[in-house]
Each structure stands twice: as C-alpha cells, then as structure tokens.
Amino acid sequence: MKATFIFLFLVLLFSCQSSEEKQLEKVLTLAGNNRLELEKVLEHYKENEADSLKLRAAKFLIMNMPGHQSYIGKDIEEYYVEAEKIIFSDRKIDEQVNELNNLLLEFPSDDFEFKEDYSVIKADYLIQSIDAAFDDWQQGRWARGITFDEFCEYMLPYKCVEFQAFDDWRNVLKPIANDTLGDFSYNDIWNKTPYHAAEAINIKLRDTVIVDLKKPLKWHALYKVPFWCNIPSNSCETRTNTALAIMRSKGFAVSYDFVLQWPTKAHAHSWLSILIDHDRRMVCEGGHEPFLAALRPGECKGKVYRRTYSPNSALVRLNKEAGSVPSTLRNVFIKDVTDEYATTIDPVFPVLSGKRERKEKYAYLAVFDNAKWVPICFSEIKDSKQIVFDKIEKGAVYLPVYYINGRVRPFNYPALLNEKGELEFLNPDNTSKRSISLKRKYPLTRKAFTTALRLKYSMFQAAHKEDFSDAVTVHTFKEYSVSGSINVSDTTKYRYWRYICPKPYRCNIAELMFLDKDNKKLTGTIIGSEERSKNPHYSRFAAFDLDPLTFFASKTLRDGWVGLDLGKPESVGRIGYMTRNDDNNVRIGDTYELFYWDMDWVSLGKQIADDFSLTFHHVPQNALLLLRNLTRGTDERIFLYKDAKQLWY
C-alpha cells in the first residue's frame, strides 16, 4: 500500500519533461494545506541574495520530497511511549527484544498511519535542518571538498532513513564520540582530511551501535530521539542507519550502500560509504571497523546500490510501466554503484524461443537466496531475442527471468558469469549422467574452515598397550578435509585406537566412528587425554555422540587425543571422522534430498544418511545442484560438481 502511494506521486511528478519551477509547483500543489509551510521555506531564502545556494538546496528537497514519508497519528505515538518504557527499563537486553517484538502484536506496523513529508513537514524544521547542513558543509572540517550535488544527496537531507521522526537528531547525536576528535587539531595531516576522523569515530561507535543478542528484533520504527543509540538490534541495517546519522550529525558526507541480496548466500547487507573528497570514497562496516581497502574481498556482491534522496528516474519508469515489480526494486530512491566496487560485465542472455513473453517490457536478473530466486536488477527489453544487463559482477550464478503476477519466470537456464566475463549456461545434460559423493549442503564458514585445518597432519593410531607406547600410525592426514572415512589396510588386531593431533593447538574432533571389516560399528570404552572443560559438549564422549555441534576439546595444546578401548583386540576396516563444524556437514540419521535445476527444481531422490557422506546416482552433467536437509536447518546453497568436488555459488 505504501509503495502504491509513492509511485502514484512520482508518476505525477515525473510523467513529463518539465522545468524546475513546474516540478516545484506540482509538489506545492500536492502539499495541499501544507503548501504555506513549504512556501515559507522558499520565501525565507529568497530574502537574502547570499542565501541563493540555500534556496537551490530547499528547492532540491521539496522537488524530490514525493515518496518520502513519515508516520503520524495516535498509534505511532503510543508505540513510542511503550517502546521507551521497555528500552529504558532495567530489563536485560534479550528481554527488551522479546517485549518489543510482542509490542508489534499490539501495534502492527501496517496499521501505522503515514503521510507524505510534503504534507506534514513544518517550515521551521526544514529551515533549521538546511541551515545546520550548510554550517557543517561550509564551516565544518570534514566535507569541504565535496560538490553541491554530493552535498544535496549525502549531507543535506532532513532525515537519514525513511519514516525517521522530525526531531533535533543532528544536535542530539553530534556530541557522541566527540572525545575521539579532541586532539585532531594538533595533527596537521589528520586535520586536512576526513579520512582519519571518520575512521576513528566509526571504530569508537562499536560500543554504541553493536549489541549481542540471542534473538533478533523483528522490526522497529525507532529512528527517533531518544532511541537512536539504544535500539536493541544487531542487524546491519539498524547499525548502518545509526552510524550514518551520527556521522552526518558531525558534518561527514556519508551514504548508505548495500546489496539487495548476496548472490552467494542468504540475506542483504549494508555498510557506510564516506566521501573524503569529491568522488572519492572509503567504506566501512557501520560502527565497528577501520576503513576497508575492499569490501568483503572474494565475496561476489552481484549488484551494489546506494541510497539517495532524489529518485532514480529509471526505477520510477519501471514501477510505472511494469505490470508486476519485484519487492526488491520498488524503492526508487537508490542508484546502481556496482562499478565502484567491482569489475563489471554487461552480459547478454539469449531468450529461449519457447520462453519468450512478448508483452513484457522488462526483464530481471535473479540470484539464489538459499530458498528462492530473488531479482536484484532489471533491464528494459529492446530486443525480444536477447537481453543485456548492465554492470554485473563476475563470480556468481545468475538466472534471467521475467516477473509476472508476482512470480519469477525464467527465460533461459542459469549461468555462471566466470572470471573471464563469459557466461557458462548450466543446462543439464540428461544424456550424460554420473554418481557424485557429497559431504556438505553449504559452503564452509570461516570458523568451520579454520577449525578443520587442525585435521591436517593429525593421525589415527592403534596400539596393544593402554599408554600407546607401542602405537602404530595407520593413517596421517596430508590434505584438508572436513569429514569422510579412511580405509585401514593394516589387518592387525589392536585393542586401543585413537585420533591424535600432534600440532601445537588443541585437539578438536566432532565425530569418530570405528568400523570392522564388515562395516559394523565397533563400541568400547571412550578414552583420551584430559578435557579442556567439564562442559559435556566438549568432552571425550562428544566425539562419539553423532551430534556435529558437540566436539572433543583437549586441554593440552599438543598431542591431545581421543579414542576407544575396544575391550579386546579387534581389526578395524574403516574409520569415519568429522571435524568441528557448523552442522552443515552430512549428519547421520537426517533425511536429505538432492535437486537439479531444469527450469525448476527437479528431485533426484531422498536418502537417510548412514555415514558422513551421501552418494547420489544418475546425476546429469552440467547441472546446477541443491542439497536440502529435510530434517533440520535452513543453510543450503547451490553448487556445481566438478573433479569430484562441490563448487559453491
């Protein structure tokens, strides 16, 4: 409903080519009874010729005001009152989150009344905001090098985020972390650029905007004094919005940059981009890190956008002309800045003859969010046989689609945009099939990858003596691995078997299985070196409990070990293992289903895992694959299978 109002007004405003004054008059007319307030602002800056630039700025704000909205009315005010009681109470932060989430049941966000800013904003507030922004730009130290156009987009706006309340946010937030800049005036180098000051403040904001929560805050409308630095949310959106408002209050020209959807994992993401001079920017994760030389190196971003105050005319036209528009592209106050972050390609996707939709004016490029395909950009269709998409980052799998009646409709197979900038279409070859072995359903997280490094050069040993003084090494890990099994060629019967980690860090192993020559699981008394903790999740028993989230952790930093006393000498034919992990390895007892994409997901069958890997047969070559755990979890990622390895995208 809110989006409908935005597009209606923007269509009225930009439906024809008009002069600045005509555009301004349209907004003044739309303002209705609030027209006088907007005219007061214009008249105020017309009085003094020295304010001519401020007059231009005021016109910029008013002309581009349609689509910017604010909550009004009794419900939002009551929500603020109740939220303040919760946030400034003595309750623990997780209790606050629970109560704020419950508050949404009493005050559903869809019930909040809202109006266009031009119909409610007051002249005094807008004048005060414009004057403060100009003081920061022209009299401050941190934005002297930027242009007027940059100032209008990234310093001037009277709000930093949609539905932000009209209050004295600049003056309230300005003192935060001021002690960080106290001595900057004594350093001629640091004082000549906003680089060092902005970085220092962002690091200082860690304690202000970073919170540790067990459960997320579902939604909030708390961008308002006095909530700004007290919002119990750990979302990057809240963190970035808060850090941005604090930075702008101090006179930095800052933008909110973001990806609508990561191309290679779930969720969106946002961060700060700070202008340190005209058209020169530095980026940082809002409120807790130094500046970054590059944002998430190695992680494909696909499409990067920047939030703006003025609308994107191409998006306005899309939302006017397209019969159905993805929710990701209904916000017209964004612009594409992908080429600032990555080398981009303009890939050409042929339209398969049987998939052509001649009535459609627009096509979209979608990425997979672990559950569905999400459009992240669009292209106006100029050739019905092939469609060009602008500025796409290499290194991800993209699906070209139409968007009809609220659903994506592919017009070709997904394609990997490879490092050479070429499209590799993933059209499954059902005439050439194979068997594949799978160990995981999701790429390794950084922590899971690091802990699995401990496996390398670790060993399986067997012995006749309890103290392993006569130990025989039956296998040494020479390559990286997260799970699997090794065949034991030594047929000698030994009573004692163990996994030992000789490297200088604690032995960590999540699961072990010793099996005889008939592949039957052997049992015995669990033995091992001293445990690091009395917590049962990290005990010797955790290495044999078939729970990947528990693991043995040794107290010693070298030669920690865990194993079995079989009670009598036994011959072991195979040993299964799993490193400490994120529960995305194949888990024994869980049910899995493998799919491949052939213009929709096609099942290759279900299996209940009885080992640390799964083998599927009759899998088409050149297919995009997806392994789902039907028992638990949501982290599941598309992959290719090449050279007996899963390649994640």
Side-chain angles (χ1 to χ4, degrees):
M1 182 63 72
K2 295 172 186 174
T4 303
F5 281 108
I6 293 174
F7 304 141
L8 174 62
F9 289 127
L10 290 171
V11 168
L12 287 171
L13 184 62
F14 298 104
S15 58
C16 62
Q17 294 293 324
S18 59
S19 68
E20 181 179 285
E21 293 305 318
K22 285 185 177 180
Q23 292 182 31
L24 189 61
E25 179 57 34
K26 284 185 178 181
V27 180
L28 293 174
T29 300
L30 289 170
N33 294 334
N34 203 51
R35 178 180 182 128
L36 288 176
E37 294 293 325
L38 300 181
E39 288 179 333
K40 283 181 186 178
V41 177
L42 299 174
E43 292 302 320
H44 175 78
Y45 291 119
K46 286 179 181 177
E47 292 176 357
N48 189 338
E49 189 174 342
D51 286 336
S52 60
L53 199 57
K54 288 185 178 180
L55 178 61
R56 283 180 59 193
K59 289 180 178 180
F60 170 85
L61 290 176
I62 294 171
M63 284 189 300
N64 293 297
M65 210 172 274
H68 294 293
Q69 301 168 330
S70 295
Y71 290 125
I72 62 167
K74 179 182 177 182
D75 284 348
I76 189 64
E77 293 302 328
E78 290 182 356
Y79 168 80
Y80 288 148
V81 170
E82 296 303 316
E84 186 168 357
K85 292 177 184 177
I86 296 169
I87 290 174
F88 295 101
S89 69
D90 294 332
R91 299 175 182 89
K92 294 181 179 179
I93 193 165
D94 287 303
E95 293 175 357
Q96 292 181 20
V97 170
N98 287 335
E99 292 197 30
L100 287 170
N101 286 338
N102 290 334
L103 191 62
L104 293 176
L105 299 176
E106 184 178 352
F107 297 98
S109 60
D110 288 343
D111 290 351
F112 289 149
E113 185 182 356
F114 63 92
K115 284 191 176 182
E116 293 285 321
D117 286 354
Y118 57 66
S119 66
V120 292
I121 198 166
K122 299 303 179 185
D124 288 346
Y125 178 78
L126 196 52
I127 290 169
Q128 180 187 33
S129 179
I130 292 171
D131 288 346
F134 266 85
D135 285 345
D136 287 337
W137 179 34
Q138 296 179 336
Q139 308 302 324
R141 291 185 287 172
W142 311 125
R144 295 170 184 169
I146 69 171
T147 65
F148 177 71
D149 288 342
E150 291 169 333
F151 164 75
C152 285
E153 292 287 3
Y154 310 118
M155 288 188 73
L156 174 66
Y158 52 88
K159 57 172 32 172
C160 298
V161 58
E162 215 55 55
F163 296 101
Q164 177 184 333
F166 297 148
D167 56 27
D168 195 20
W169 62 274
R170 291 184 195 269
N171 287 327
V172 170
L173 299 179
K174 190 184 290 285
I176 295 173
N178 265 358
D179 57 321
T180 305
L181 306 181
D183 298 328
F184 268 55
S185 60
Y186 299 102
N187 188 315
D188 289 340
I189 295 176
W190 285 17
N191 204 35
K192 289 178 181 177
T193 171
Y195 179 101
H196 301 287
E199 182 178 52
I201 289 173
N202 192 57
I203 295 171
K204 180 73 172 180
L205 292 182
R206 180 176 183 85
D207 295 335
T208 302
V209 302
I210 302 296
V211 293
D212 185 21
L213 300 174
K214 294 179 181 178
K215 292 183 179 180
L217 184 63
K218 294 178 181 178
W219 183 88
H220 69 84
L222 300 173
Y223 296 117
K224 179 185 187 299
V225 175
F227 301 122
W228 275 103
C229 297
N230 299 284
I231 303 171
S233 171
N234 57 4
S235 74
C236 62
E237 179 183 10
T238 297
R239 185 171 66 236
T240 305
N241 280 326
T242 302
L244 181 144
I246 293 170
M247 289 286 195
R248 281 194 185 172
S249 75
K250 295 177 177 297
F252 294 95
V254 191
S255 66
Y256 180 107
D257 289 10
F258 63 100
V259 291
L260 291 164
Q261 168 63 53
W262 285 109
T264 56
K265 57 185 175 183
H267 307 305
H269 187 57
S270 58
W271 59 92
L272 292 180
S273 175
I274 300 171
L275 273 162
I276 59 172
D277 204 345
H278 167 53
D279 208 26
R280 291 185 59 228
R281 291 175 173 270
M282 295 300 295
V283 299
C284 57
E285 302 282 1
H288 67 112
E289 283 189 358
F291 282 147
L292 304 172
L295 183 84
R296 305 282 183 96
E299 295 187 44
C300 178
K301 290 161 280 295
K303 271 291 184 185
V304 181
Y305 293 94
R306 177 167 297 144
R307 201 161 65 194
T308 59
Y309 180 81
S310 60
N312 181 329
S313 59
L315 279 166
V316 172
R317 189 167 62 252
L318 167 72
N319 282 277
K320 174 187 175 183
E321 297 176 350
S324 185
V325 178
S327 60
T328 45
L329 295 169
R330 293 175 192 166
N331 177 10
V332 299
F333 299 105
I334 62 175
K335 73 173 186 177
D336 185 351
V337 292
T338 311
D339 53 357
E340 293 185 22
Y341 287 89
T343 301
T344 61
I345 300 295
D346 297 344
V348 180
F349 285 81
V351 180
L352 298 180
S353 58
K355 300 295 181 181
R356 200 168 297 159
E357 296 285 348
R358 298 187 182 277
K359 293 182 179 180
E360 293 301 309
K361 295 182 179 181
Y362 294 90
Y364 305 86
L365 214 50
V367 295
F368 194 67
D369 76 344
N370 292 6
K372 61 186 181 302
W373 293 99
V374 178
I376 60 169
C377 66
F378 70 99
S379 177
E380 187 173 358
I381 299 174
K382 298 177 181 178
D383 183 343
S384 63
K385 295 182 179 180
Q386 62 179 24
I387 297 172
V388 181
F389 292 92
D390 297 333
K391 297 194 298 186
I392 307 299
E393 186 178 4
K394 299 178 290 185
V397 170
Y398 299 97
L399 181 68
V401 301
Y402 300 112
Y403 194 77
I404 301 173
N405 296 326
R407 300 185 66 180
V408 297
R409 188 172 297 179
F411 60 78
N412 205 329
Y413 288 93
L416 169 63
L417 186 56
N418 66 25
E419 294 176 352
K420 295 180 180 180
E422 301 167 340
L423 289 173
E424 298 179 17
F425 284 93
L426 304 174
N427 183 354
D429 184 355
N430 283 292
T431 65
S432 177
K433 298 185 178 182
R434 57 185 168 168
S435 297
I436 65 174
S437 178
L438 307 177
K439 293 183 178 182
R440 285 181 61 84
K441 62 186 180 71
Y442 196 77
L444 282 168
T445 59
R446 181 183 300 179
K447 191 171 185 179
F449 169 78
T450 303
T451 55
L453 287 171
R454 302 183 183 192
L455 185 75
K456 200 170 182 180
Y457 305 117
S458 295
M459 298 175 287
F460 284 118
Q461 292 182 335
H464 297 294
K465 297 181 179 180
E466 185 177 5
D467 62 0
F468 283 86
S469 58
D470 62 342
V472 174
T473 299
V474 298
H475 181 79
T476 300
F477 288 97
K478 296 181 180 180
E479 295 182 354
Y480 184 91
S481 180
V482 295
S483 65
S485 63
I486 60 103
N487 294 318
V488 180
S489 58
D490 188 342
T491 59
T492 306
K493 294 182 178 181
Y494 298 95
R495 176 174 173 175
Y496 302 99
W497 295 79
R498 72 177 179 180
Y499 167 79
I500 182 170
C501 183
K503 295 188 72 175
Y505 40 59
R506 290 182 175 86
C507 175
N508 284 169
I509 194 75
E511 295 300 329
L512 292 172
M513 285 197 308
F514 295 89
L515 302 104
D516 66 15
K517 297 298 181 181
D518 297 321
N519 211 36
K520 293 181 180 179
K521 187 176 178 180
L522 296 169
T523 59
T525 302
I526 297 172
I527 55 177
S529 58
E530 187 176 355
E531 299 152 341
R532 181 185 181 185
S533 167
K534 293 183 179 180
N535 188 325
H537 288 172
Y538 314 126
S539 70
R540 291 185 287 270
F541 296 93
F544 296 90
D545 63 359
L546 295 182
D547 182 351
L549 292 177
T550 65
F551 56 91
F552 168 67
S554 66
K555 183 176 182 179
T556 179
L557 292 175
R558 186 184 292 273
D559 293 332
W561 63 275
V562 62
L564 283 181
D565 171 1
L566 298 179
K568 63 178 181 178
E570 296 275 8
S571 180
V572 171
R574 186 167 68 90
I575 305 174
Y577 64 91
M578 182 185 294
T579 61
R580 178 181 169 186
N581 65 92
D582 53 5
D583 203 16
N584 285 314
N585 290 348
V586 170
R587 181 171 181 152
I588 291 176
D590 284 6
T591 301
Y592 293 84
E593 187 170 11
L594 181 65
F595 295 87
Y596 73 97
W597 181 268
D598 192 359
M599 304 310 279
D600 202 348
W601 291 114
V602 180
S603 176
L604 284 162
K606 300 177 183 179
Q607 290 187 31
I608 298 176
D610 59 4
D611 207 336
F612 298 136
S613 64
L614 298 164
T615 299
F616 285 89
H617 305 287
H618 311 297
V619 179
Q621 296 273 6
N622 198 45
L624 184 66
L625 302 169
L626 177 67
L627 181 64
R628 291 204 182 280
N629 185 330
L630 305 182
T631 305
R632 75 188 80 227
T634 58
D635 287 344
E636 294 157 347
R637 196 67 218 157
I638 54 177
F639 62 94
L640 305 180
Y641 195 82
K642 293 184 178 180
D643 300 324
K645 293 182 180 179
Q646 291 173 268
L647 304 179
W648 303 98
Y649 290 99

